[in-house]
Amino acid sequence: MKPNTQSDLLKPTNEDTVGPYFPINFSDPLLEDLSRFESGITAQPQGDPIILKGRLIDRFGELANGTLVEFWQANAKGVYRSPKHEGNSDIDPWFWGYGRLRTESGEFEFKTIMPGPCAGRAPNITITLFSDGISRIVTQIFFADQAGNASDPLLQSLSHEDRAKLSARHEGESDCGSKIYTIDIVMAGENEIPFFDDLIREGE
Amino acid sequence: MSNSGRQLEIGLTDNTSDQRTPRNRLRLIPEIVRESFAPCIPQRGLSRQNEWDLTRIAADLPRAEGVAIEVSGKLQNERGTPISNAMLEIWNANHFGRYRHIEDHSDIPLDEHFLGTGRVFTDIEGNYTFWTISPGAYLARPDIGRWRPKHIHLSVSGGGSRLITQMYFPDEPNNASDPMAILMGDDFERNVGKPYETPKIDVDSGLRFDIIVGGRNAVYFE
């Protein structure tokens, strides 16, 4: 029988900082552009290609260089590619929804498709940051021009001021016609954006 | 009962930690949206034939300088379920304490036979093994004489499991002053490898490092 009470759980290995030298040679271009599938194959993820341009900013307004940024999102129909949804006919075979890049400067450009709305949610992308000086911080960002933001349960749990900080703005189109969204992810200090605790539950 | 999330702590003598650590408490996630915060990482990683052996850049090249070690262990979630087919990305400094990373500008020597990066996968029982060169400690803050103790970086990804951590070495003089070790407190012991002898293989010693991936994300996918 598997242990299932809090006290039976094994004690986890401590998360630790990724440090400044995450190997650049571990980069995978396919994880930096989810708007396409592997080259040489007649296949295209469903949905509207977008480019998310972000700046990671520290407490002093400087760019947070050398940061590893990870993305997790639903496909165009609002379905996450997880075992829980295996067999769902709305799974897009050409879209995983997990992305990763390391930004040398602290600015990044992530190519993907606009996530669809899941039940009761506004379109969003979960963003995880690993960098020197911190272990792991997690947030979710939204799109200012998308329907459903006003009733999204996560946004509703925040003040108006904080909601705005998680909202990427539509700023033009790329040469290929992808909508460009921009977001400043302020990690600390004035204008710090909300980060979320995925280890502690309400009431625990 | 907690009505708010953790307050992240700032590492002592760690300037970057001061610059980048959020000052507000983490926010609680409404239960109804919790699952959306649990990434599921596809198996996309690749590994070259000899990548489990970081003591050589490739099988046909000489061994790097320093003490060759084996690191092995079992990857599990906090319920004790083995995590199979997960990718471990590994990186460590060379014998002298220098990374072959384009942004490591220190004047510590490089070793022409040491790359210092590799990827391995866990087997069906969650076990992994790799060889590397025991890394050198290096002076991280010359202005205050604070060293980074010997450590190996490990990044685990597979399914609902995601963890970036470091394995430290037992009885190292610089362990006690490391900013992240200080934040871990008594829990630091769990991040220290346990020595074992390796009489039958071509390394000098072994370190056992069992990894438990915490958090509740994996339970969505069991």
Side-chain angles (χ1 to χ4, degrees):
Chain A
M1 215 166 74
K2 283 180 185 171
N4 54 15
T5 66
Q6 187 72 32
S7 58
D8 285 341
L9 295 175
L10 299 171
K11 291 200 164 168
T13 306
N14 300 288
E15 298 190 78
D16 203 339
T17 181
V18 69
Y21 304 130
F22 182 81
I24 296 168
N25 48 320
F26 290 160
S27 299
D28 179 351
L30 288 174
L31 295 180
E32 298 175 9
D33 181 358
L34 305 186
S35 68
R36 66 193 173 95
F37 201 65
E38 292 169 34
S39 57
I41 291 176
T42 308
Q44 183 67 35
Q46 297 162 19
D48 298 324
I50 61 168
I51 300 175
L52 180 65
K53 289 190 180 180
R55 297 195 304 162
L56 308 176
I57 296 168
D58 75 12
R59 193 160 75 91
F60 301 104
E62 304 289 327
L63 288 170
N65 63 305
T67 299
L68 189 67
V69 191
E70 298 194 345
F71 307 88
W72 173 241
Q73 64 168 96
N75 69 20
K77 290 186 172 162
V79 178
Y80 285 100
R81 186 82 171 263
S82 72
K84 191 170 177 179
H85 300 109
E86 205 172 306
N88 185 324
S89 59
D90 285 336
I91 289 285
D92 179 350
W94 315 113
F95 188 78
W96 281 105
Y98 167 76
R100 177 172 99 169
L101 57 84
R102 180 187 186 272
T103 163
E104 182 185 337
S105 65
E107 293 183 290
F108 67 83
E109 260 191 54
F110 176 56
K111 292 178 178 162
T112 185
I113 53 105
M114 176 61 76
C118 309
R121 298 298 312 278
N124 67 81
I125 300 179
T126 297
I127 293 186
T128 305
L129 304 179
F130 299 93
S131 98
D132 194 25
I134 60 163
S135 290
R136 180 182 61 102
I137 50 176
V138 183
T139 192
Q140 249 174 25
I141 65 119
F142 295 78
F143 301 90
D145 58 353
Q146 293 292 303
N149 288 336
S151 59
D152 184 87
L154 188 72
L155 287 176
Q156 281 186 327
S157 75
L158 302 171
S159 69
H160 277 286
E161 194 185 21
D162 280 340
R163 285 177 212 175
K165 293 175 187 167
L166 296 184
S167 200
R169 292 170 305 280
H170 178 204
E171 287 188 7
E173 271 76 36
S174 73
D175 291 345
C176 308
S178 301
K179 273 188 173 180
I180 296 171
Y181 288 88
T182 62
I183 183 107
D184 279 351
I185 297 177
V186 181
M187 297 166 70
E190 204 184 341
N191 298 320
E192 179 179 311
I193 71 158
F195 293 97
F196 295 89
D197 197 328
D198 58 1
L199 298 181
I200 292 180
R201 281 175 193 257
E202 263 173 332
E204 264 182 5
Chain B
M1 290 282 281
S2 87
N3 295 315
S4 61
R6 287 166 293 149
Q7 175 76 57
L8 298 181
E9 293 179 275
I10 298 160
L12 289 170
T13 74
D14 183 344
N15 291 332
T16 318
S17 185
D18 176 57
Q19 291 156 6
R20 298 184 182 182
T21 305
R23 295 308 198 267
N24 294 323
R25 277 186 174 277
L26 300 180
R27 319 297 173 90
L28 288 176
I29 301 172
E31 203 57 31
I32 193 171
V33 308
R34 199 176 170 80
E35 190 185 330
S36 67
F37 277 87
C40 187
I41 304 176
Q43 279 183 7
R44 297 189 83 154
L46 298 172
S47 175
R48 292 187 310 274
Q49 192 179 2
N50 203 58
E51 251 182 274
W52 65 273
D53 182 5
L54 281 72
T55 71
R56 297 169 199 275
I57 295 173
D60 62 332
L61 293 171
R63 190 164 254 187
E65 280 196 66
V67 177
I69 57 171
E70 178 175 87
V71 180
S72 64
K74 192 181 187 71
L75 179 68
Q76 296 168 275
N77 68 20
E78 51 186 4
R79 293 158 180 257
T81 308
I83 303 168
S84 59
N85 301 311
M87 181 170 67
L88 270 72
E89 293 164 301
I90 304 146
W91 67 106
N92 68 261
N94 69 17
H95 173 62
F96 310 107
R98 171 89 187 266
Y99 291 91
R100 193 175 278 281
H101 189 290
I102 203 166
E103 294 163 14
D104 182 350
H105 303 296
S106 90
D107 52 13
I108 297 170
L110 289 166
D111 176 340
E112 67 174 311
H113 296 303
F114 190 69
L115 170 60
T117 70
R119 290 164 288 198
V120 298
F121 294 85
T122 57
D123 68 15
I124 196 74
E125 291 166 335
N127 296 309
Y128 73 89
T129 302
F130 64 88
W131 290 2
T132 190
I133 295 294
S134 187
Y138 52 88
L139 195 55
R141 284 282 307 271
D143 51 330
I144 56 169
R146 199 257 293 161
W147 289 67
R148 204 67 254 275
K150 289 161 62 112
H151 63 279
I152 296 175
H153 292 272
L154 294 153
S155 171
V156 175
S157 25
S161 302
R162 184 77 182 99
L163 174 73
I164 293 183
T165 189
Q166 300 179 30
M167 186 195 81
Y168 295 85
F169 289 70
D171 307 320
E172 285 293 316
N174 305 306
N175 282 350
S177 57
D178 187 69
M180 294 306 281
I182 291 168
L183 291 186
M184 291 177 205
D186 292 343
D187 293 340
F188 175 70
E189 277 308 303
R190 291 207 295 278
N191 284 48
V192 178
K194 295 182 174 53
Y196 59 87
E197 293 182 4
T198 53
K200 292 178 181 166
I201 54 174
D202 187 21
V203 291
D204 297 295
S205 63
L207 284 159
R208 172 99 187 164
F209 188 55
D210 292 324
I211 302 171
I212 313 289
V213 180
R216 309 293 152 69
N217 289 356
V219 303
Y220 292 113
F221 308 128
E222 276 185 355

